[in-house]
Each structure stands twice: as structure tokens, then as C-alpha cells.
Amino acid sequence: MAQIEYSLSALVAKAFMTHVPLIIVEGHDDVYFYNTITEDKNTVLPSELIRKSNESYYTPGCEGVINIITDIQEQIHRNPQIRNYVLGVIDYDCRRYIENTDVNLDCLFKLKYYSYESHFISENSLRLLITTITNATCSMISDEVITIVMDGFNEIRNNLFYIALEALKARCDSSYTAVVSCDTKPETLYQDNRILQSVLSKQQELDSFATQKNISLSTDIRQLIKGKIYLYAFVMNAYENIKKQMEERHMEHIPREEVAVYQSKTKILLFLITAFVLCLFMSACYSSYDLKKAQIPDLKVDFCSEDNNDYIIISGTPYHSALVIKKIIINDHGNSINIKAEQQLCGSGIGLPFYLKKQIRKNISTITLGQENEIIWERGVKGK
């Protein structure tokens, strides 16, 4: 069956004219995911379905998305309002650790972690998992059980750390002979213990490599490791720990015939992936993103006086147009005021461009933005 293909110029024009944002993703598998978390209010397309002006087509994956957003930069600069209607979304991958691979473009949104699958793992998803495969209700699952299972996963993080370093070193050095690469299948790592032992035998060399890249065991593992490997490791570890807890605790309230699903690991994996995605819809994708100064290229802070009262007016258009501002929090710290804007990737919220008018006292000397308290205005200082 022939696939539908779209002209990039026509898609951008349509998004702008109809006010229905266009979200460009890495592949077909991502379309349903982003349609769901944005409540089907946007046009979501994979990069490979989008046609260039010369009749050729963009490639799938992050490079295809980056090339598309690169090709519309001039158009965005001519008409900045396009920022409100076009967004390319890519996994962060390992760009932060490989020189000259990171990219910052208007209308390009990079996820926080290596892969979007890494967002699936949480205590909420684990609780949902247990209810799915055991027929227990959420009220039956104690916090102690959740802690034990999560702690079991934390115990293997050290192994995942070195697996991630091995794959990253291979990406950074083409002459390096690695036993694990970004293309290694997760089940291969789990089934063949010799691979892990081979990686751990290089621990000293990998520690030296980590130091060069400013990486340590305290680094968030989700920034280092491919999401499918991270998710698979959690799935299998959780499976073993849940089974062990059931056996040790003699959970009579859970009918044993209802737990026959344990006999099929394939079926468990399907249940788990479903559980994680559902949890993601409920939690991870509704988590908050702090609005930062760098996300508002045209940030403007004006000061004015009206009826002997002082006001500051903050305005600008955040370039992450798929994020909506859910809440504005203003904290008064005596001689300064901090403004936080919580953003989410879906749902309704405060429309763009961002605009806030706030009365301030005569003794207020600075206004800061976000969790990092970036100074955006100082009394008596121009150009902030």
C-alpha cells in the first residue's frame, strides 16, 4: 500500500494558517505516543513522510528531524510566529558527550534523557505493573513491596553504568573494540552473562574514559544508556523481584491461578510495556518543565510606574511551542521576587506568547526566573 507523503513547505504553511501545530517525530512508532499526550490537538508526522522541495524525502530518525528543522530556520527568522506552530522532537541520545554532535535550533525540542523509553520507569508504573500481572489492587500493594523491588533494580545500576560507558566509548572512538554497542539487543545482554563479565573486566579503562567525559556514578544513568536497554533491564529485574516477593510473603489474597502469567515471559513483557506507557501518560508526560531564560529568545522585561505604583512586564515567546504553561508561581524574598512557570507537554494551559504584568514594591531590586534564579531584571540596570 502506498504511503501518504507531505511537502514540508505545505505542512508549515498549513500549520501556520490553521493554527494547528505540526509535530515532527523520529519514526512511525512515535506518532501514536505523541498524538496521545497532546490529546490529538496537533498534526504528528514522522520525518520520513515529509518531502523536500527537490522531490526527495527526509530520512527517518533524529537526523531526519534535525534536517527538517534546519531547513525551515530561515523561514522561522523571517516569520517568528512560526515558532508557535512547528516543533521537531528528538531523543537526546549521547550528544552531550560527543563533540560537535549537539544541536540547538529554533523549534527543536530535545528530550531530557537518551531515549523516551527511559521516562517509563517510576514507582507508579511499578505499582501498575504489579496490579496487571497479579490481579492485586493498588491498595493491596504496600510501599514496602515497592521499595524492595525498586531497591533490587538500584543494585544493578552499577552494571548498567559500565554497559553504557562501553557503548559510549565505542561511539566516541571508532578504533575501540567494544563488546557492547548502541545496536546491541537488550535481550542479548540479559541472556549472555559473558558480555557483562567482559565489560566489567574493562572497569579501570572505562573509569578513565568516564573521567575524561566528566561522568561519574552519580550521573543520571538515563542520560547515558539507550532507553530500550534500560527498560528491558528494569522489566526483567522487576519480574524476578515481584515473583520472589510473592513466594516469600505467601500472598494468599492473590489467587495462584491468576499468576499463571509468570509462565510466559513474553506475555509479561507485553503487559509491562503497556503498563509503562499507561503510567507515562498519567505521570511522566504530565511532569513539569521549568521555564528558563534561554528558552525565550525574545525575552523582554519592561519597568513602568502607574499611579505611584511600580510594575514589571515580562513578555516573550518560548521556542518550545508544544509545551503549555500550566502554572505561574511567584515567590517574594524580601528585596527580590522569583517567578517560576511550570510547563507541560500536553493539556490546556496559558497561551503563548508569555505575558505577565506584576506590581512590585519600591524595595524590590531584582527579579529572577525559574528554579535556577536567573536574573532577568535589576532596578536601575538597563538591558536586562
Side-chain angles (χ1 to χ4, degrees), residues 307-326:
D307 299 327
N308 203 35
N309 294 318
D310 291 347
Y311 294 86
I312 52 110
I313 301 173
I314 304 171
S315 61
T317 304
Y319 60 69
H320 292 332
S321 57
L323 295 173
V324 296
I325 296 173
K326 303 296 291 186

Side-chain angles (χ1 to χ4, degrees), residues 70-130:
T70 299
D71 286 349
I72 64 171
Q73 290 300 293
E74 184 177 343
Q75 191 174 356
I76 293 169
H77 296 154
R78 288 198 308 267
N79 184 359
Q81 288 301 313
I82 290 176
R83 293 191 183 103
N84 296 331
Y85 302 108
V86 180
L87 187 73
V89 182
I90 60 173
D91 293 339
Y92 208 115
D93 208 289
C94 50
R95 291 182 183 83
R96 53 170 57 90
Y97 301 112
I98 303 179
E99 292 183 6
N100 303 319
T101 60
D102 205 356
V103 59
N104 293 290
L105 298 167
D106 283 340
C107 298
L108 181 66
F109 181 74
K110 295 175 290 187
L111 298 183
K112 183 177 181 180
Y113 301 131
Y114 191 117
S115 309
Y116 78 87
E117 292 95 339
S118 300
H119 292 265
F120 293 1
I121 298 172
S122 69
E123 291 187 4
N124 287 337
S125 63
L126 178 59
R127 195 177 297 275
L128 183 60
L129 156 66
I130 297 175

Side-chain angles (χ1 to χ4, degrees), residues 27-309:
H28 287 278
D29 293 342
D30 300 338
V31 172
Y32 176 78
F33 171 73
Y34 285 103
N35 265 327
T36 301
I37 63 174
T38 58
E39 300 176 347
D40 290 315
K41 295 179 180 178
N42 307 279
T43 301
V44 181
L45 290 175
S47 59
E48 71 249 45
L49 288 189
I50 299 179
R51 190 177 75 246
K52 302 179 184 180
S53 57
N54 62 1
E55 299 301 322
S56 61
Y57 297 88
Y58 291 96
T59 58
C62 61
E63 293 306 319
V65 177
I66 291 171
N67 289 336
I68 288 171
I69 300 302
T70 299
D71 286 349
I72 64 171
Q73 290 300 293
E74 184 177 343
Q75 191 174 356
I76 293 169
H77 296 154
R78 288 198 308 267
N79 184 359
Q81 288 301 313
I82 290 176
R83 293 191 183 103
N84 296 331
Y85 302 108
V86 180
L87 187 73
V89 182
I90 60 173
D91 293 339
Y92 208 115
D93 208 289
C94 50
R95 291 182 183 83
R96 53 170 57 90
Y97 301 112
I98 303 179
E99 292 183 6
N100 303 319
T101 60
D102 205 356
V103 59
N104 293 290
L105 298 167
D106 283 340
C107 298
L108 181 66
F109 181 74
K110 295 175 290 187
L111 298 183
K112 183 177 181 180
Y113 301 131
Y114 191 117
S115 309
Y116 78 87
E117 292 95 339
S118 300
H119 292 265
F120 293 1
I121 298 172
S122 69
E123 291 187 4
N124 287 337
S125 63
L126 178 59
R127 195 177 297 275
L128 183 60
L129 156 66
I130 297 175
T131 64
T132 302
I133 66 175
T134 65
N135 206 36
T137 63
C138 285
S139 61
M140 294 178 181
I141 304 166
S142 68
D143 290 341
E144 180 187 2
V145 170
I146 297 297
T147 299
I148 290 172
V149 177
M150 291 298 292
D151 285 349
F153 180 57
N154 290 334
E155 291 174 3
I156 68 170
R157 284 177 184 264
N158 188 69
N159 294 343
L160 293 176
F161 176 75
Y162 285 103
I163 288 172
L165 287 179
E166 175 78 351
L168 179 59
K169 186 171 175 60
R171 287 283 296 272
C172 295
D173 182 1
S174 58
S175 65
Y176 178 68
T177 303
V179 295
V180 173
S181 72
C182 294
D183 297 325
T184 302
K185 293 183 178 180
E187 56 269 27
T188 301
L189 293 172
Y190 193 86
Q191 294 167 0
D192 189 349
N193 191 53
R194 292 173 299 177
I195 295 177
L196 175 60
Q197 295 307 315
S198 180
V199 170
L200 294 179
S201 69
K202 302 180 181 183
Q203 185 170 337
Q204 186 173 354
E205 180 181 5
L206 292 174
D207 283 340
S208 177
F209 170 72
T211 300
Q212 295 172 16
K213 294 294 182 180
N214 197 28
I215 298 170
S216 68
L217 283 169
S218 63
T219 301
D220 192 329
I221 187 68
R222 292 170 294 184
Q223 295 180 359
L224 298 172
I225 197 164
K226 194 170 184 178
K228 288 182 175 62
I229 293 177
Y230 187 68
L231 178 60
Y232 191 92
F234 181 80
V235 163
M236 301 311 296
N237 186 265
Y239 162 74
E240 298 295 344
N241 276 287
I242 294 169
K243 184 177 180 181
K244 180 180 179 181
Q245 287 300 307
M246 290 179 63
E247 291 172 348
E248 290 182 353
R249 292 167 180 268
H250 305 292
M251 298 170 76
E252 293 86 358
H253 59 276
I254 302 177
R256 287 291 167 173
E257 64 271 19
E258 298 289 353
V259 195
V261 66
Y262 276 121
Q263 298 173 1
S264 171
K265 289 192 177 183
T266 299
K267 189 173 182 180
I268 285 177
L269 290 177
L270 292 175
F271 272 126
L272 287 170
I273 298 302
T274 301
F276 290 140
V277 172
L278 288 173
C279 180
L280 181 62
F281 295 160
M282 293 186 295
S283 58
C285 289
Y286 285 88
S287 61
S288 296
Y289 295 83
D290 184 39
L291 181 62
K292 300 179 184 297
K293 183 179 177 180
Q295 295 173 355
I296 313 177
D298 57 350
L299 176 66
K300 187 177 181 182
V301 183
D302 293 319
F303 171 81
C304 65
S305 294
E306 299 175 3
D307 299 327
N308 203 35
N309 294 318

